[in-house]
Every structure is written in C-alpha cells, then in structure tokens.
Amino acid sequence: MNASNAPRPAAELQPALDQALAVTASGVLRDTFIGQSRDYGMLRIYGGHLLGQALAAAFRTVAEDKVAHSLHAYFLKTGTPDEPIGYQVSRLRDGRRFVTREIRAVQDDQTLMVMLASFKVEEVGDHHQPAMPAVPGADQVAARRRRAGSGPLELPFAAGLGAELQPVDDWHPGAPAGGDPAITVWMRAVASADADRRARQCMLAYLSDGPLMFNALRPHGRPFVSHRATSLDHAVWFHRDVDPGGWLLFEQQGPAAADGRGFNQGRLYDAGGALVASVAQESMMRRL
C-alpha cells in the first residue's frame, strides 16, 4: 500500500476535528459537560458527533494513564443542531487497570444517546490480525477520481471538518441499488497539532460511524430516497493508536438485513496495514 500521509496544502485545511469534538465542564454538576452541536443537513446531528463528544466527556473523568478500549452506544433521539448538547457521566467502575463509564447525551431533558465506554492501562501482549485487503492506495484512488472529473466523496459528516473520503470503487450514497453489501473507503481528518491519543480516539469514534449504515442498504435502495435510514446502535473496539490525519482504510460489510434493520461491520487499518479498530452497528432501513 502506498497511501501518502503527506500534509495537505494550507488552502485545503479546515477546522480541526478534535476541536469540534471538545467538551467543557458545565460548572453546575460534577461530571457534566457541554459540547457544541453541529448541523449535518438531513442527518440533523450525526451519530459520530455524539460518539466523539461523549468519549471526550468520559475522558475528563478518567485518570491519564488509561485510554479507551471499547464503547457501545444506543441512539435514542435525533436532537436539534441549534442547541448545545449536555453530557452526563456516571462512574460505574474505577479499578486499578479497568475503568467503566456511562455517558448520556442530553438536550432539553431528552436523552439522545446512551453509551458505555471502558478504559484500561496499556500493556504489552500477544497479537494477531487479519491482513489488510489488497486495494489501490489512497493517492491512486484520488488520481483516478480526478481523471474521471470527480473529487473526494462529499458526505455531510465530512463537510467543513477537514475529513476526506476516497471510495475504492464507484460507490456513493446516490448510486443505484443492486451493488454488493460492501464498501471500502480511504478516509482521513485534520487534527490540531497538539492532539493527543485521547483526542485521536475521539476522532476515530467520529469517523467510524461514517458510511457504515450504507452497506446493508446498498443492494436494496438509496438512503432518504427509497429508504428511511439511521443508525440504531454502534460499537467500537480500539486495538492500536493511530493518527486519523493519515490515510485509514475502512473495510466494511453489511452481511445481514431483515425486519427493517441492517447489520453492518467494519475494520479500520492504518496505511501500513495495522488493524487499529473494529466496528459494528445496526441501522434502520425502512422502506418509504
């Protein structure tokens, strides 16, 4: 894989994603925080925005020697992009090696999302992983798209936050139904120069929601045209540290659809082929 991690020209740089996901103490109750909302068009508030900010809020209650190893969330309400989002953190467990937090994202006394996140001290251990798929590198994909007269894929969650997507095939949300339930994209996002590992994990949580729900829907229709589609739940397992400012390969599949729901899963690799995170999600895919 020859995906380039070279810095982008200054003209291309946009506000850093980690800054958009930052939260501040509410100053009212212990372990309560405030995050700024954002308008994602038809998505209203993008699920990954809630995931990233909720993880940032949980980190504010966790000792510095621990990082996230997993999170599991349920999306309950859509929310409004016109108001800040409150995050209420409950300290469920404070062990010597493992810590568990429950985080609720709230607007107007309505719970938008509830998430459990677990944190641990890093340690050296045995390891193995599947091989990264053999696909063209990000630079090759980008060059091919330029020759075809198109640029990076524009999706609401990437707009204005320095995130960039380059699909390995010709997939896009408006493509006709009938494709295989699998999507592979290169993705990256701008981070501020002082982003630490915790900020990088929040960014990875944000990106992991991305195009995932479109996999199970791909053989059957188009989001918001033939189907009402939204994420119902989401889980991330963090395996290794990674800089989301470098290209990441997001290999995804939607192996099952039934009962108005689609099941989606994915693996995120860095440009060197290391598996950095695994993701699973169920989405609603109800015909209009």
Side-chain angles (χ1 to χ4, degrees):
M1 303 298 163
N2 295 314
S4 172
N5 291 323
R8 280 166 277 188
E12 293 182 28
L13 298 183
Q14 301 178 59
L17 178 54
D18 57 304
Q19 295 173 347
L21 299 178
V23 298
T24 57
S26 70
V28 178
L29 297 173
R30 179 177 182 255
D31 296 345
T32 61
F33 305 89
I34 300 294
Q36 294 305 307
S37 188
R38 191 177 183 91
D39 191 344
Y40 292 93
M42 297 181 75
L43 299 177
R44 303 284 283 169
I45 301 177
Y46 162 60
H49 188 101
L50 298 175
L51 294 171
Q53 285 191 333
L55 188 57
F59 272 131
R60 298 285 292 270
T61 73
V62 175
E64 292 290 337
D65 65 337
K66 297 177 178 66
V67 294
H69 71 85
S70 68
L71 63 83
H72 302 260
Y74 280 92
F75 301 109
L76 307 179
K77 287 185 176 293
T78 304
T80 173
D82 302 323
E83 300 177 15
I85 306 166
Y87 293 92
Q88 303 168 353
V89 182
S90 298
R91 304 186 183 216
L92 301 185
R93 178 190 183 190
D94 278 292
R96 185 170 63 88
R97 289 188 176 274
F98 287 87
V99 166
T100 308
R101 298 288 185 261
E102 179 190 75
I103 311 96
R104 291 179 179 269
V106 178
Q107 269 187 345
D108 295 327
D109 297 324
Q110 299 291 313
T111 301
L112 308 185
M113 181 195 74
V114 61
M115 184 172 93
L116 288 176
S118 186
F119 308 82
K120 70 180 294 290
V121 176
E122 294 183 271
E123 58 188 289
V124 177
D126 299 322
H127 61 89
H128 67 269
Q129 66 162 76
M132 182 168 71
V135 300
D139 288 345
Q140 295 172 271
V141 172
R144 184 183 68 200
R145 290 177 67 83
R146 285 194 298 270
R147 288 194 298 270
S150 59
L153 180 63
E154 297 290 342
L155 291 179
F157 82 94
L161 285 175
E164 183 179 354
L165 280 78
Q166 297 284 0
V168 172
D169 65 9
D170 294 329
W171 173 81
H172 58 86
D180 292 335
I183 300 167
T184 300
V185 302
W186 288 101
M187 56 176 19
R188 62 180 178 180
V190 174
S192 55
D194 60 351
D196 59 13
R197 177 161 186 180
R198 291 179 163 203
R200 293 193 292 270
Q201 287 193 317
C202 294
M203 293 173 65
L204 199 62
Y206 177 98
L207 293 170
S208 71
D209 190 19
L212 196 57
M213 74 174 179
F214 299 123
N215 285 268
L217 180 57
R218 188 176 187 182
H220 306 286
R222 296 165 56 190
F224 315 117
V225 176
S226 62
H227 289 72
R228 183 182 176 197
T230 189
S231 304
L232 297 175
D233 60 16
H234 194 85
V236 182
W237 294 265
F238 301 94
H239 307 308
R240 296 176 175 85
D241 187 21
V242 69
D243 176 11
W247 285 112
L248 305 174
L249 185 71
F250 198 2
E251 177 201 19
Q252 307 152 70
Q253 303 88 29
D259 190 39
R261 296 171 293 122
F263 175 64
N264 306 284
Q265 56 192 11
R267 294 169 175 161
L268 280 150
Y269 298 85
D270 69 16
L275 181 67
V276 298
S278 299
V279 185
Q281 179 189 95
E282 192 171 58
S283 60
M284 179 179 70
M285 41 181 288
R286 186 175 295 152
R287 286 194 175 271
L288 295 173

